[in-house]
Amino acid sequence: MNFASDNIVGASAPVLEALVRANAGAMPAYGADEITKRVEAAFSRIFEREATVLLVTTGTAANALALAAAVPPYGLAVCHAESHVIDDECGAPEFFMHGAKLVGLPGTGAKLTSETVATYLKGLRRADRQMPPKALSISQVTEGGLVYSLDELAGLSAVCREHGLFLHMDGARFANALVTLGCTPAEMTWKAGVDILSFGGTKNGCLMAEAVVVFDPALVEGLAHRRKRAGQVASKGRVLSAQFEAYLADDHWLANARHANRMAALLAEGLAGTPGARLPWAVQANELFPILPRTLDEALKEAGFIYHPWSTKSLPAGEVVADSEVMIRLVTSFATEEAAVRRFIDVARSAARREAAE
Amino acid sequence: MNFASDNIVGASAPVLEALVRANAGAMPAYGADEITKRVEAAFSRIFEREATVLLVTTGTAANALALAAAVPPYGLAVCHAESHVIDDECGAPEFFMHGAKLVGLPGTGAKLTSETVATYLKGLRRADRQMPPKALSISQVTEGGLVYSLDELAGLSAVCREHGLFLHMDGARFANALVTLGCTPAEMTWKAGVDILSFGGTKNGCLMAEAVVVFDPALVEGLAHRRKRAGQVASKGRVLSAQFEAYLADDHWLANARHANRMAALLAEGLAGTPGARLPWAVQANELFPILPRTLDEALKEAGFIYHPWSTKSLPAGEVVADSEVMIRLVTSFATEEAAVRRFIDVARSAARREAAE
Amino acid sequence: MNFASDNIVGASAPVLEALVRANAGAMPAYGADEITKRVEAAFSRIFEREATVLLVTTGTAANALALAAAVPPYGLAVCHAESHVIDDECGAPEFFMHGAKLVGLPGTGAKLTSETVATYLKGLRRADRQMPPKALSISQVTEGGLVYSLDELAGLSAVCREHGLFLHMDGARFANALVTLGCTPAEMTWKAGVDILSFGGTKNGCLMAEAVVVFDPALVEGLAHRRKRAGQVASKGRVLSAQFEAYLADDHWLANARHANRMAALLAEGLAGTPGARLPWAVQANELFPILPRTLDEALKEAGFIYHPWSTKSLPAGEVVADSEVMIRLVTSFATEEAAVRRFIDVARSAARREAAE
Amino acid sequence: MNFASDNIVGASAPVLEALVRANAGAMPAYGADEITKRVEAAFSRIFEREATVLLVTTGTAANALALAAAVPPYGLAVCHAESHVIDDECGAPEFFMHGAKLVGLPGTGAKLTSETVATYLKGLRRADRQMPPKALSISQVTEGGLVYSLDELAGLSAVCREHGLFLHMDGARFANALVTLGCTPAEMTWKAGVDILSFGGTKNGCLMAEAVVVFDPALVEGLAHRRKRAGQVASKGRVLSAQFEAYLADDHWLANARHANRMAALLAEGLAGTPGARLPWAVQANELFPILPRTLDEALKEAGFIYHPWSTKSLPAGEVVADSEVMIRLVTSFATEEAAVRRFIDVARSAARREAAE
């Protein structure tokens, strides 16, 4: 009954079991353990190439480290105005980048178009007083639950190449996007021009496990030192690596994401048939942002459903949330039960019917 | 057979079980869970006063955050020249403090005397070009395995008060020091003048759980924001809080520390009767730093014992490690088995006897 | 014939002469000279109270130091979206503030209203992930050449008090605003609630002389150290202090500003009678931002006038610059000659007449 | 009568006159003026190669910018323990380098040997917890008034190459060293392996003029932006460039330095014949550090001579300053009058004779 986020539940069973198994015995500390080595190899296998992998404890740390690798202290990083890096991390990227600046651009559903980015970059002055742009950071899935297509990624990547920017992908919900596109991890990242990736595990089955995956060798230097001085090297490295090993094994991560996305699709389907409710943009992963009559919202809360109201800043042109309405966010996860989804729809439809009858 | 450190094993059974139990069900994210609230209350109970507690993932992060709370970017923090903060954290404190400087002073066994600190502070210039001292950071247990007595803490604290410095305690091995002194946590901290504490759990039974405990209200402002922007707010807060709840319950942490210290005492006792081996200073917690003939060192390694050679920079005046000798570090933990200790002593004594016979 | 800015000429005669005079003889270095002491006293006299004064070499340094005194590394500083601090200093404030963030709000003529600021502040979340607002930075004169009235300053100051923000004034053109308001320096600063001021001399008669003036004692601590570590303590302090002494003596600074403002008023008057030209907002100090037909613009350039095209981002609602038009900035200074102003008007009017005739 | 430092006098006549001349007329701001362009060309001519030159206002800023170009935030810069960068700049390098650390090594007369540096570098751990060394910073002239020979520079440079460090030279007294060696600026810098140079003008005839000269193109990127965000771009660029133009013209800078050095040599000669006085190391430029009986010191002060007592930390092995003695620093400059030197010697010798007679 809790659709507040995908980090409100613990780990999935295989991940938790792996953590318990890995607890036994002596292992070298600070990530020199064998499990960490195996996980690094697993990442290379999954991404079909050598990649430098740094396990960290939070998505904020992964994003901030990745951006610090790409952006010097006097540089700019471009992102969406509602992206997590600019809006939800209390300035972590600015801290790790040593004062470099994030610039937020607009876009429906928290998604950037290559036109928006190109226009912004072309408008910048070439002058000492202008911080030079050094990276573009996009979220795959976006904060609005949208998924960049491979073509869109290629377009953004082309703009980055033209202007000399690195391309960072915040993949807190990487798996959810991947199963939507049905492509390979390589296709959604380095083959599309992504230079450095925040790879999230926590929201999709881990208890606490995130990684920075570096594709561009130019970004590797010093990153291990940056992680250490950020207090992000786990003393008992297994606490992170054991989770990832189980997460990546047997396509467990993909199965988790598929379930989460399917639950979101079910919710979307149900809301489509609910009078008064509408979705401002397509549901493409495991989040949806319905606009509901306040009466529906109240009925759902009364029935015990938990979720957050949401920002209306990235609505499409022309879309307006009336005073009698509210825009909310619903998030599904590997642990979301279909019964809860069905109950949500039932309550929403009943309320809508009652409303219509009055 | 592994005396390399106290972070080479996983969690103790009660801590691991608590983590598994806490995995179930939905809970608010980012530390708003009930377990975190209970843990914060537990800390206040243990320290016999209101205290602000921030759970973090590593000792490096705890130290760096604590120092950043106490030292402005233009300030100095004084510490021992071989302390963890200055020597083993890749500049994390300097990063979190935004360029403030750590100054390392000498002292046998990595322990500072109040005289050393006072003399240093009195010698500083009063001038704009001189970074002003703002904090003293001590390690309880020190990097040399020594424990500051309550009198020594009071002496250091008095120097801090006189010169306007905050007193930070790096308590990565807080429990080991506490059971040695046999005093209360309050007596070893705020009653002795400690303003802010890094409270370690990981080395003494947790898998990954550290905390910053703030006693001086002047150091609280902004610290939660600093933690967030450091990427140290666990997405699923229970991963830290559940460990601490079990760690602090039923004096489990003290029992763990007592065992570790007893194992170190056994090792010390055994080495005392081993010809050729000597201890440059007393064993007061769970670490010892014997100077051994190289032949002994080789015999121990051959027998499969694992440990690190150690720096001789903090030896007492007059003590010298000969070319035929090596100084090593042995660390015991809650998980150290008495049999391993006895075997270590046996191997060492046999080697010593063989040496003598030749 | 050069209206590009007020920093394109050297020092005024009294300032230059003072610099030459002060060159002779030995004086203590690093600002311990007698002239610096006299200048500090002069500032206190002019502002009718004790104030801490730090001489620095550039306006960027003054702004960045002032903001660093007011805003911790995890904080927000609010300013206008086109202010100098956010747009023209290559991230100096973010550097000096150690990653704290500047947030730019809109407003006609680069001027903020207290409503805009209050609405923004009220909309901020109270959460660890939200950087907390700590300062408001306003420019007096604004980047659009407007002057905040005492009432407007009081309104902004009231918002700051309510939300716990310090109020910083970027006074790069302090004198120009002051003579417009006809009030005392005290009335335009601390009596209106300003806590810390960047006091500019360079644009109004000095060669290189800026100051941070601190009214709120809470902002003084450490500021001298911050200046030193910013490389802003002049080795031969007289180079700055001698300029300020002459600048502040005999109301020289006010005379300079009055002349500059009068030249701008003359330009405005002339353009008011020039068909096709219009001013999007009032001319209140020494800058004006006319919108001109491109034909006029070309005629003026051809006649040898130098000035910059300007950003149209802060136009009043409804005002649009047509494709056939251009918006420019004209700046006058203590050195602007009335003949140049008259010639500018003549050329503009001739061009306008020719245009009308075609 | 003032030997306190070489920054206690104003500018030399040619420099001041150039500044006055350059005051007239309109020029582009922010260093886009013609004089700045000519000065940049002059630097390239003097150094016999293309070099990137950035004019700044203080030596602290020059050093901090140069080090920030060479050292990433997680790196180490090695220097002498009594160097200006580590001891007299209130942490400016740490600020500009964003928390990178300075490590101070010992050496007589504040001079480093290549052996000392090599031994230190070889002893560093290869580990994430160890900040990696990235630059060596040496002072030419050293804080002890010594001058590195070309062979010594080559030796230090070879160590840098071997360990992947950039070589920075703090040339606050560059000219004084140059005339001592009698070599070309190229030979003392890039031909000897120097990658980046702080070129001082202020102590040798300018009022305020310093420069960063970059020889290694790898260090150029972003440096202009770093200068801007440090508040080091002069609004009226001529204030710096005009001084340098006169300083570098007609070998004025070399003549100034020769005079200063000659005055120091005269002082040294005079003290050599003064009973009780001794010099702990050779006088090689414009500073000397005599150890004097306190009676002599008192007589000199009584006679009105001004100078500083000095740190005895870098004395050669075996040299001790007795309780009845004091070590002082005497600095000469382009403006030191021979009469003052002679008077100093007379007073010292008279006092010594009186002492001997008693």
Side-chain angles (χ1 to χ4, degrees):
Chain A
M1 307 275 286
N2 190 324
F3 295 101
S5 189
D6 35 9
N7 60 0
I8 53 152
V9 291
S12 65
V15 170
L16 187 66
E17 285 156 19
L19 193 56
V20 171
R21 264 197 319 276
N23 191 66
M27 294 182 195
Y30 299 120
D33 58 283
E34 289 303 315
I35 310 179
T36 298
K37 281 174 201 158
R38 291 200 304 263
V39 163
E40 288 168 358
F43 270 101
S44 286
R45 213 158 46 232
I46 282 167
F47 282 100
E48 302 173 52
R49 59 169 283 177
E50 290 277 305
T52 297
V53 179
L54 296 105
L55 308 189
V56 295
T57 64
T58 66
T60 294
N63 284 336
L65 279 170
L67 285 168
V71 183
Y74 54 85
L76 284 185
V78 179
C79 62
H80 189 279
E82 293 204 85
S83 62
H84 204 265
V85 289
I86 203 173
D87 210 36
D88 293 299
E89 301 183 345
C90 196
E94 289 90 342
F95 172 37
F96 282 57
M97 296 189 299
H98 299 288
K101 199 186 293 217
L102 286 165
V103 175
L105 303 182
T108 298
K111 198 175 183 177
L112 292 171
T113 67
S114 52
E115 290 71 32
T116 300
V117 177
T119 302
Y120 171 76
L121 292 174
K122 277 171 199 153
L124 287 177
R125 302 159 297 186
R126 301 286 170 275
D128 289 355
R129 68 184 189 281
Q130 173 65 56
M131 300 173 87
K134 295 291 181 178
L136 172 65
S137 177
I138 56 171
S139 304
Q140 179 77 317
V141 179
T142 77
E143 291 297 301
L146 293 173
V147 176
Y148 288 97
S149 71
L150 293 188
D151 276 357
E152 287 169 333
L153 291 176
L156 289 163
S157 162
V159 173
C160 287
R161 294 305 157 243
E162 190 188 336
H163 292 271
L165 274 64
F166 290 108
L167 180 52
H168 166 245
M169 179 180 279
D170 175 359
R173 295 184 176 96
F174 187 86
N176 303 91
L178 193 68
V179 299
T180 293
L181 293 188
C183 66
T184 67
E187 285 165 350
M188 200 169 86
T189 56
W190 60 274
K191 287 186 176 173
V194 173
D195 298 303
I196 192 163
L197 167 71
S198 302
F199 183 93
T202 310
K203 284 177 154 64
N204 188 41
C206 293
L207 196 52
M208 171 188 263
E210 306 282 320
V212 179
V213 185
V214 194
F215 301 115
D216 186 331
L219 298 181
V220 170
E221 198 194 335
L223 199 48
H225 292 294
R226 287 187 193 268
R227 178 178 54 165
K228 179 65 184 172
R229 78 198 280 261
Q232 285 289 339
V233 175
S235 178
K236 303 180 175 178
R238 68 183 94 178
V239 70
L240 302 177
S241 56
Q243 294 181 65
F244 264 131
E245 189 165 45
Y247 180 73
L248 297 175
D250 305 321
D251 288 350
H252 176 57
W253 61 308
L254 302 178
N256 278 359
R258 271 193 206 99
H259 176 81
N261 286 10
R262 198 165 61 83
M263 291 303 104
L266 272 184
L267 275 172
E269 214 179 288
L271 286 170
T274 303
R278 67 188 186 283
L279 289 162
W281 52 70
V283 174
Q284 300 181 337
N286 66 320
E287 300 174 283
L288 52 173
F289 298 77
I291 300 168
L292 305 176
R294 288 193 180 275
T295 48
L296 240 77
D297 175 54
E298 280 152 27
L300 287 162
K301 281 180 183 156
E302 201 161 296
F305 289 101
I306 301 173
Y307 49 78
H308 293 299
W310 211 250
S311 153
T312 59
K313 283 185 199 152
S314 296
L315 286 177
E319 176 71 78
V320 175
V321 177
D323 281 352
S324 62
E325 295 177 323
V326 63
M327 180 162 156
I328 64 166
R329 185 184 74 161
L330 302 173
V331 192
T332 56
S333 79
F334 73 93
T336 302
E337 295 180 9
E338 196 166 325
V341 170
R342 302 222 173 273
R343 172 107 181 93
F344 185 94
I345 300 301
D346 285 351
V347 171
R349 291 201 176 157
S350 303
R353 274 196 300 270
R354 270 200 313 277
E355 180 78 358
E358 276 165 24
Chain B
M1 308 270 287
N2 190 324
F3 295 101
S5 189
D6 34 9
N7 61 359
I8 54 152
V9 290
S12 64
V15 170
L16 187 66
E17 284 156 20
L19 193 57
V20 171
R21 265 197 318 276
N23 191 66
M27 294 182 195
Y30 300 120
D33 58 282
E34 290 303 315
I35 311 179
T36 299
K37 282 173 201 158
R38 291 200 303 263
V39 163
E40 289 169 357
F43 270 101
S44 286
R45 213 158 46 233
I46 282 168
F47 283 98
E48 303 173 52
R49 59 169 282 174
E50 291 276 305
T52 298
V53 178
L54 296 106
L55 307 189
V56 296
T57 65
T58 66
T60 294
N63 284 337
L65 279 170
L67 285 169
V71 183
Y74 55 83
L76 284 186
V78 179
C79 62
H80 189 277
E82 292 204 84
S83 62
H84 204 264
V85 288
I86 203 172
D87 210 36
D88 293 298
E89 301 184 344
C90 196
E94 289 90 342
F95 173 36
F96 282 58
M97 295 188 300
H98 299 288
K101 200 186 293 219
L102 285 165
V103 174
L105 303 183
T108 298
K111 196 174 185 178
L112 292 172
T113 67
S114 51
E115 290 70 35
T116 300
V117 177
T119 302
Y120 171 75
L121 293 174
K122 278 170 198 154
L124 288 177
R125 302 160 297 186
R126 301 285 169 275
D128 289 356
R129 70 184 188 282
Q130 173 66 57
M131 300 174 86
K134 294 292 182 177
L136 171 66
S137 177
I138 56 171
S139 304
Q140 178 78 316
V141 182
T142 76
E143 290 297 298
L146 293 175
V147 176
Y148 289 96
S149 69
L150 294 188
D151 276 356
E152 287 169 332
L153 291 176
L156 289 163
S157 162
V159 173
C160 287
R161 294 305 156 242
E162 188 187 335
H163 291 272
L165 274 64
F166 289 108
L167 179 53
H168 166 245
M169 179 181 278
D170 174 357
R173 296 185 175 96
F174 186 86
N176 302 93
L178 192 69
V179 299
T180 293
L181 293 188
C183 65
T184 66
E187 285 165 349
M188 200 170 84
T189 56
W190 60 274
K191 287 187 176 172
V194 172
D195 298 303
I196 192 163
L197 167 72
S198 302
F199 183 93
T202 309
K203 283 176 155 63
N204 188 41
C206 294
L207 197 50
M208 172 187 261
E210 305 283 320
V212 180
V213 184
V214 195
F215 302 114
D216 187 332
L219 298 181
V220 170
E221 197 194 336
L223 199 50
H225 292 294
R226 287 186 193 267
R227 177 177 57 164
K228 180 65 185 172
R229 78 198 280 259
Q232 285 289 340
V233 175
S235 178
K236 302 180 175 179
R238 66 184 97 178
V239 69
L240 303 176
S241 55
Q243 293 181 65
F244 263 131
E245 189 165 46
Y247 180 72
L248 296 176
D250 305 323
D251 288 349
H252 176 57
W253 61 306
L254 300 178
N256 278 359
R258 270 191 207 102
H259 176 81
N261 286 11
R262 198 165 60 83
M263 290 302 105
L266 273 184
L267 275 171
E269 212 178 291
L271 285 169
T274 304
R278 68 185 184 284
L279 290 163
W281 52 71
V283 174
Q284 299 181 336
N286 66 321
E287 299 174 284
L288 52 173
F289 298 78
I291 300 168
L292 304 177
R294 288 194 180 276
T295 47
L296 238 79
D297 175 54
E298 280 151 28
L300 287 162
K301 281 180 184 156
E302 203 161 294
F305 288 100
I306 300 173
Y307 49 79
H308 294 299
W310 211 249
S311 153
T312 58
K313 282 184 201 153
S314 295
L315 285 178
E319 177 70 79
V320 176
V321 177
D323 281 353
S324 61
E325 296 177 321
V326 64
M327 180 163 155
I328 66 167
R329 185 184 75 161
L330 302 173
V331 191
T332 57
S333 80
F334 73 92
T336 301
E337 295 179 9
E338 195 166 327
V341 170
R342 302 220 172 274
R343 172 108 180 93
F344 185 94
I345 300 300
D346 285 351
V347 171
R349 292 201 175 158
S350 302
R353 274 195 300 270
R354 269 200 312 279
E355 181 77 359
E358 276 166 25
Chain C
M1 308 273 284
N2 190 323
F3 296 101
S5 189
D6 33 9
N7 59 359
I8 54 152
V9 291
S12 65
V15 170
L16 187 66
E17 285 155 19
L19 193 56
V20 171
R21 264 198 317 276
N23 192 65
M27 293 182 196
Y30 300 120
D33 58 282
E34 289 304 313
I35 310 179
T36 298
K37 281 174 202 157
R38 291 199 305 262
V39 164
E40 289 169 358
F43 270 102
S44 287
R45 211 158 47 231
I46 282 169
F47 283 99
E48 302 173 51
R49 59 170 282 176
E50 291 278 305
T52 298
V53 178
L54 296 104
L55 308 189
V56 297
T57 65
T58 66
T60 293
N63 285 336
L65 278 170
L67 285 168
V71 184
Y74 55 84
L76 284 186
V78 179
C79 62
H80 190 278
E82 293 205 85
S83 62
H84 204 265
V85 288
I86 202 173
D87 210 36
D88 293 300
E89 302 184 345
C90 197
E94 290 90 342
F95 173 37
F96 283 57
M97 295 190 299
H98 299 288
K101 199 186 294 219
L102 286 164
V103 174
L105 303 182
T108 298
K111 197 174 183 178
L112 292 171
T113 66
S114 52
E115 290 70 33
T116 300
V117 178
T119 302
Y120 171 75
L121 292 174
K122 278 172 197 152
L124 288 177
R125 303 159 296 186
R126 301 286 170 273
D128 289 356
R129 69 184 188 283
Q130 173 65 57
M131 299 173 87
K134 294 290 182 179
L136 171 66
S137 177
I138 56 171
S139 304
Q140 178 79 314
V141 180
T142 77
E143 290 298 299
L146 293 175
V147 175
Y148 289 97
S149 71
L150 294 188
D151 276 356
E152 287 169 332
L153 292 176
L156 289 164
S157 162
V159 173
C160 287
R161 294 304 158 242
E162 188 187 337
H163 292 271
L165 274 65
F166 290 108
L167 180 53
H168 166 245
M169 178 180 280
D170 175 358
R173 295 184 176 96
F174 186 87
N176 302 92
L178 192 69
V179 299
T180 295
L181 293 187
C183 65
T184 67
E187 285 166 350
M188 199 169 86
T189 55
W190 60 274
K191 287 188 176 173
V194 172
D195 298 303
I196 192 163
L197 167 72
S198 302
F199 182 93
T202 310
K203 284 176 154 63
N204 188 42
C206 293
L207 196 51
M208 170 187 263
E210 305 283 321
V212 179
V213 184
V214 194
F215 302 115
D216 187 333
L219 298 181
V220 170
E221 197 195 336
L223 199 49
H225 292 294
R226 287 186 193 268
R227 177 177 55 164
K228 179 65 184 171
R229 78 197 278 260
Q232 284 289 339
V233 174
S235 178
K236 302 179 176 179
R238 66 184 94 177
V239 70
L240 303 176
S241 56
Q243 292 181 66
F244 264 131
E245 189 165 45
Y247 181 72
L248 297 175
D250 305 322
D251 289 349
H252 177 56
W253 61 308
L254 301 178
N256 278 359
R258 271 192 207 102
H259 176 82
N261 287 11
R262 197 166 61 84
M263 292 303 104
L266 272 184
L267 275 171
E269 211 179 292
L271 286 169
T274 304
R278 68 187 185 284
L279 289 163
W281 52 71
V283 175
Q284 300 181 336
N286 66 321
E287 299 174 283
L288 53 172
F289 298 77
I291 301 169
L292 305 176
R294 288 191 181 275
T295 47
L296 238 78
D297 175 54
E298 280 151 29
L300 286 162
K301 281 179 183 155
E302 202 161 294
F305 289 101
I306 301 173
Y307 49 78
H308 295 298
W310 212 251
S311 154
T312 59
K313 283 184 199 153
S314 296
L315 285 178
E319 176 70 78
V320 174
V321 177
D323 280 352
S324 63
E325 296 177 321
V326 62
M327 180 162 156
I328 65 166
R329 184 184 75 162
L330 302 173
V331 191
T332 57
S333 79
F334 73 93
T336 302
E337 295 180 9
E338 194 166 327
V341 170
R342 304 225 170 270
R343 173 105 181 95
F344 184 94
I345 300 300
D346 285 350
V347 172
R349 291 201 176 157
S350 301
R353 275 195 300 270
R354 270 201 312 279
E355 181 76 359
E358 275 166 26
Chain D
M1 308 272 288
N2 190 325
F3 296 101
S5 190
D6 34 9
N7 60 359
I8 53 153
V9 290
S12 65
V15 170
L16 187 66
E17 284 156 19
L19 193 57
V20 170
R21 265 196 318 275
N23 191 66
M27 294 182 194
Y30 300 119
D33 58 283
E34 289 304 314
I35 310 179
T36 299
K37 281 172 201 159
R38 292 200 303 264
V39 163
E40 289 168 357
F43 271 102
S44 286
R45 213 157 46 233
I46 282 168
F47 283 98
E48 302 172 52
R49 59 168 285 174
E50 292 276 306
T52 298
V53 178
L54 297 105
L55 308 189
V56 296
T57 64
T58 66
T60 294
N63 285 337
L65 278 170
L67 285 168
V71 183
Y74 54 84
L76 284 186
V78 179
C79 62
H80 190 278
E82 293 204 85
S83 62
H84 204 264
V85 288
I86 204 173
D87 209 35
D88 293 300
E89 301 183 345
C90 197
E94 290 90 341
F95 173 37
F96 282 57
M97 296 188 299
H98 299 288
K101 200 186 293 219
L102 286 165
V103 174
L105 303 182
T108 297
K111 197 173 184 179
L112 291 172
T113 67
S114 53
E115 290 70 35
T116 300
V117 178
T119 301
Y120 171 75
L121 293 174
K122 278 171 198 153
L124 287 177
R125 301 160 297 185
R126 301 285 169 274
D128 289 357
R129 69 185 188 283
Q130 173 65 57
M131 301 174 85
K134 294 291 182 178
L136 171 65
S137 177
I138 56 171
S139 304
Q140 179 77 317
V141 180
T142 76
E143 291 297 300
L146 293 173
V147 176
Y148 289 97
S149 71
L150 294 188
D151 276 356
E152 288 169 331
L153 291 177
L156 289 164
S157 163
V159 172
C160 287
R161 294 304 157 243
E162 190 188 336
H163 292 271
L165 274 63
F166 289 108
L167 180 52
H168 166 246
M169 179 181 279
D170 174 357
R173 296 185 175 96
F174 186 86
N176 302 91
L178 193 68
V179 299
T180 293
L181 293 187
C183 65
T184 67
E187 285 165 349
M188 199 170 85
T189 55
W190 61 274
K191 287 187 177 173
V194 172
D195 298 302
I196 191 162
L197 167 71
S198 302
F199 182 93
T202 310
K203 284 177 153 63
N204 187 42
C206 293
L207 196 50
M208 172 187 262
E210 305 282 320
V212 180
V213 184
V214 195
F215 302 114
D216 186 334
L219 299 182
V220 170
E221 198 194 337
L223 199 50
H225 291 294
R226 287 186 193 267
R227 178 178 54 165
K228 180 65 185 170
R229 78 198 281 261
Q232 284 290 338
V233 175
S235 178
K236 303 180 175 178
R238 68 184 94 178
V239 69
L240 303 177
S241 55
Q243 293 181 65
F244 264 131
E245 189 164 46
Y247 180 73
L248 297 175
D250 304 323
D251 289 349
H252 176 56
W253 60 308
L254 300 178
N256 278 358
R258 270 192 208 102
H259 176 81
N261 286 10
R262 198 165 60 83
M263 291 302 105
L266 272 184
L267 275 171
E269 213 179 289
L271 285 169
T274 304
R278 68 187 184 282
L279 290 163
W281 51 72
V283 174
Q284 300 181 337
N286 66 321
E287 299 174 284
L288 52 172
F289 298 78
I291 300 168
L292 305 177
R294 288 192 181 275
T295 47
L296 239 78
D297 175 54
E298 279 151 30
L300 287 161
K301 282 179 182 156
E302 202 160 296
F305 288 101
I306 300 173
Y307 49 78
H308 294 299
W310 211 248
S311 152
T312 59
K313 284 185 201 153
S314 296
L315 286 178
E319 176 70 78
V320 175
V321 177
D323 281 353
S324 62
E325 296 177 320
V326 63
M327 180 164 155
I328 66 167
R329 184 184 76 161
L330 302 173
V331 192
T332 56
S333 80
F334 74 92
T336 302
E337 294 179 10
E338 196 167 325
V341 170
R342 302 221 172 273
R343 172 106 182 95
F344 184 94
I345 300 301
D346 286 349
V347 170
R349 292 200 176 158
S350 301
R353 273 195 300 270
R354 269 201 313 278
E355 180 78 359
E358 278 165 25

